[in-house]
Amino acid sequence: MIFEGFKSEVGEWLQGTGPDSDLVISSRVRLARNLANSPFTSVANEDQSRKVADRIGVALDRLGSGLPLQVYPLENRPVVERQVLVERHLVSHELATGEGPRLVGFDETESFSVMGNEEDHLRLQVMKSGNQLDQAWEQMCPLERALEEELQFAFHSKYGYLTACPTNVGTGLRASVMLHLPALVITGQIEQVTSAATKIHLAVRGLFGEGTEAQGDFFQISNQRTLGLTEEQILDNIASVLPRIIEYERKLREELLERRRERIEDRIGRAYGILSHAHVMTSKEALEHLSLVRLGVTMGLLDGVSMTQVNRMFLHSQPGHLQCLQGEPLSSDDRDRKRADLLRGILGDSAG
Amino acid sequence: MIFEGFKSEVGEWLQGTGPDSDLVISSRVRLARNLANSPFTSVANEDQSRKVADRIGVALDRLGSGLPLQVYPLENRPVVERQVLVERHLVSHELATGEGPRLVGFDETESFSVMGNEEDHLRLQVMKSGNQLDQAWEQMCPLERALEEELQFAFHSKYGYLTACPTNVGTGLRASVMLHLPALVITGQIEQVTSAATKIHLAVRGLFGEGTEAQGDFFQISNQRTLGLTEEQILDNIASVLPRIIEYERKLREELLERRRERIEDRIGRAYGILSHAHVMTSKEALEHLSLVRLGVTMGLLDGVSMTQVNRMFLHSQPGHLQCLQGEPLSSDDRDRKRADLLRGILGDSAG
């Protein structure tokens, strides 16, 4: 088992700390890199992929004590473990369900992670709690430089870093923030925000990035362009729109409190009541209630609940974590029962 | 104020005690009587009605210490007080909203009650917790006899007691039981029971008798015929069908526990969670959740809740009681808020 007893219960990025953490869950930067003179993952044969994985593994080992990453090959890992890695945002769904030699490396706090043989040979990620995109980028730079000293990256003097998919060519940088925007959703203003973001070439996605829908009022906003811009321009592009979204959401939360206090307290209270007393619950339903409970905690409307509890429920109620905690694979029905048990247990209500 | 601080929080009939109290809420008998040589209420003028009310008042006073009834004239009583009397099943909706001289009398336990100048001059009622129709009838007999000594009732040697509405002529007796049948409702079997009851000339009604629909799985079953049967035959008619309904409901509850335990625990838990954490609630919604919570208590699935709490919520969340507790008239929206406050308060949950 990769995670022995979930040593660090939730990763650093889900601590609910950092600036603007009332609505910015986390900030993330990732770089796509490929080894020079090696075929891209999608066209490499098993032997070539193994060599790439080995070279990356050796390079990560050499980073040594300066950046103590644990590295794990993903082949032959149980499905549930790979699912846990996805839920902790340490690997992509593609890497978890892919084939052939591939690996993941991450540090104890789960702030840094590295994927080997994903769509690109190398994907580097830094995630931090709250609104800390610049800080995440600052931590990324030495990691990338250290690896570049070990590995020669495919680079073109005109196009920049070469990547398997043209949308990543250039900087290979994707910067994103995970936002919790319940007031924008409740008041029906979210469309305005997403269409404004799209107009300035930002993508709006769900909890697990590309190809996932927004759920429970959680939205990931990221750059779409990587070519023809410097890394700083990409970060600035998000930084330019983020304060306005934050301000908008906060203003609407205040208005909800002023004008519809009982209604919003009612929705939050009911969400808490159901989470703490249901005996069967799908993950979709859990996420919807958790969104409202998170809102309640940040608005000071739910005294008895901590952000730590919310974050644990958020992560541990997901299918992989549930099965990992249970120590065995569970059917969908069983998961719905165990999820409800877990949520009741965390909220620790006596009756019901 | 008739009820100073709700001295006895709930009447004897809502104590949740007595035989079969897991599903028989209460048993009730009532007799309709009219004074000889006085016009029926519907055709009496104010002066005639006052005389009837006065004669009844004097007769009730003379019953003296043997049956200490408090008697109150209903004219000029605040709307809210009259509503409270209806909710406590001490007077009918008709008496509460009627006009002219009329009165109510009841004892401290609210087991006995007397209405003056309802549809008939006199309506006598005995209500008891649980399945105690025979005991209620036994307590009714001396009350009726004592009043008959004071007042001469309109009686016809062939038709029996004469009443304003032909459906009450003869014995003037209506016997009813209030049943809580959630398993029959959940499993869709309730129609069978109600149609079987109707076939043997029993009426199936809602919480507040005639003209009210069943709500929250509560059903009142009563005799429709009063003429051509003795009192004992009327009681036997209900007594003959009641054990079968009780057995049917209990069997279905057991089956629910065996075959759909998690689903039923889930419904009950959610009902409890919402009741204990909502901030806005209609009386219809409250009744639905209370029905499930009552089921949970009787099935031993809700350890932290007592039947006393359920009964208090049941009665005190009704509009008249809410306004009485608040000490002022409340709009419908205000009642929905105060109701939720009251329910949270009774269940005493800290968070939310």
Side-chain angles (χ1 to χ4, degrees), chain B residues 68-239:
Chain B
L69 294 180
Q70 291 290 320
V71 181
Y72 304 90
L74 275 188
E75 308 95 274
N76 308 321
R77 284 280 172 193
V79 173
V80 165
E81 280 190 25
R82 286 181 269 140
Q83 211 168 344
V84 165
L85 291 169
V86 173
E87 292 167 2
R88 295 178 89 86
H89 288 235
L90 292 169
V91 307
S92 63
H93 180 71
E94 291 66 33
L95 192 80
T97 57
E99 293 191 346
R102 57 207 198 285
L103 51 80
V104 60
F106 52 89
D107 75 316
E108 203 180 42
T109 66
E110 300 174 30
S111 297
F112 296 93
S113 74
V114 177
M115 290 189 275
N117 274 332
E118 212 249 17
E119 182 181 283
D120 296 296
H121 293 152
L122 201 57
R123 290 275 178 104
L124 312 177
Q125 171 180 283
V126 176
M127 280 193 91
K128 295 187 76 63
S129 290
N131 186 2
Q132 300 200 68
L133 211 44
D134 286 343
Q135 290 84 341
W137 177 242
E138 279 167 27
Q139 293 188 7
M140 173 64 92
C141 294
L143 176 68
E144 195 265 355
R145 274 196 301 271
L147 278 168
E148 195 151 25
E149 282 176 23
E150 300 291 335
L151 301 162
Q152 195 191 344
F153 293 147
F155 186 83
H156 186 279
S157 57
K158 183 174 173 192
Y159 300 119
Y161 289 103
L162 299 179
T163 56
C165 175
T167 58
N168 289 313
V169 168
T171 59
L173 172 63
R174 175 147 295 159
S176 64
V177 283
M178 181 69 70
L179 305 177
H180 183 221
L181 305 173
L184 280 158
V185 174
I186 288 169
T187 58
Q189 310 288 305
I190 192 68
E191 289 291 334
Q192 282 188 35
V193 170
T194 56
S195 78
T198 310
K199 271 183 198 147
I200 59 164
H201 306 292
L202 296 176
V204 180
R205 299 194 171 100
L207 266 179
F208 294 96
E210 209 157 335
T212 65
E213 274 182 33
Q215 280 188 325
D217 315 325
F218 297 99
F219 299 86
Q220 190 207 69
I221 291 186
S222 63
N223 65 304
Q224 285 186 302
R225 294 175 62 189
T226 58
L227 183 65
L229 296 171
T230 65
E231 287 84 353
E232 286 69 25
Q233 284 172 324
I234 288 170
L235 296 170
D236 285 350
N237 196 16
I238 294 184

Side-chain angles (χ1 to χ4, degrees), chain A residues 101-314:
Chain A
R102 57 207 198 285
L103 52 81
V104 61
F106 52 90
D107 75 315
E108 203 180 42
T109 67
E110 300 174 30
S111 296
F112 295 93
S113 73
V114 177
M115 289 189 276
N117 274 330
E118 212 250 16
E119 183 181 283
D120 296 297
H121 293 151
L122 202 55
R123 290 275 177 104
L124 312 177
Q125 171 178 284
V126 176
M127 281 192 91
K128 295 188 74 66
S129 291
N131 186 2
Q132 300 200 67
L133 212 43
D134 287 341
Q135 290 85 341
W137 176 241
E138 279 168 27
Q139 293 188 6
M140 173 64 91
C141 294
L143 176 68
E144 196 265 354
R145 275 197 299 272
L147 278 168
E148 194 150 26
E149 283 177 22
E150 299 290 336
L151 300 162
Q152 195 193 342
F153 292 148
F155 186 82
H156 185 279
S157 57
K158 183 174 174 191
Y159 300 120
Y161 290 102
L162 300 178
T163 55
C165 176
T167 58
N168 289 314
V169 167
T171 58
L173 172 63
R174 176 146 294 157
S176 65
V177 284
M178 182 69 70
L179 304 176
H180 184 221
L181 305 174
L184 280 158
V185 174
I186 288 169
T187 58
Q189 310 288 305
I190 192 69
E191 289 291 336
Q192 283 188 35
V193 170
T194 57
S195 78
T198 311
K199 269 183 198 148
I200 59 164
H201 306 293
L202 296 176
V204 181
R205 299 195 170 100
L207 266 180
F208 293 95
E210 208 157 337
T212 65
E213 273 182 32
Q215 280 189 324
D217 316 323
F218 297 99
F219 299 85
Q220 191 206 69
I221 291 185
S222 63
N223 64 304
Q224 285 186 303
R225 293 176 62 189
T226 59
L227 184 64
L229 295 172
T230 66
E231 287 83 353
E232 285 69 25
Q233 285 172 322
I234 289 171
L235 296 170
D236 285 350
N237 196 17
I238 294 183
S240 71
V241 72
L242 193 52
R244 280 183 283 162
I245 299 176
I246 291 172
E247 193 187 356
Y248 200 175
E249 168 73 16
R250 284 211 186 113
K251 188 169 143 278
L252 289 175
R253 289 186 187 186
E254 274 168 32
E255 281 181 18
L256 284 175
L257 266 190
E258 269 171 39
R259 297 187 199 166
R260 293 154 69 181
R261 187 180 180 101
E262 269 123 358
R263 292 282 154 188
I264 197 74
E265 282 183 327
D266 186 55
R267 287 183 68 161
I268 290 168
R270 283 165 185 258
Y272 175 84
I274 292 171
L275 272 183
S276 55
H277 292 91
H279 285 249
V280 183
M281 194 174 293
T282 64
S283 68
K284 184 167 182 291
E285 188 191 354
L287 204 54
E288 285 165 3
H289 297 321
L290 282 171
S291 170
L292 283 164
V293 167
R294 190 185 197 280
L295 178 66
V297 172
T298 58
M299 286 171 103
L301 298 176
L302 271 180
D303 288 342
V305 192
S306 69
M307 191 55 88
T308 308
Q309 283 174 305
V310 174
N311 292 337
R312 270 184 64 203
M313 290 191 282
F314 192 81

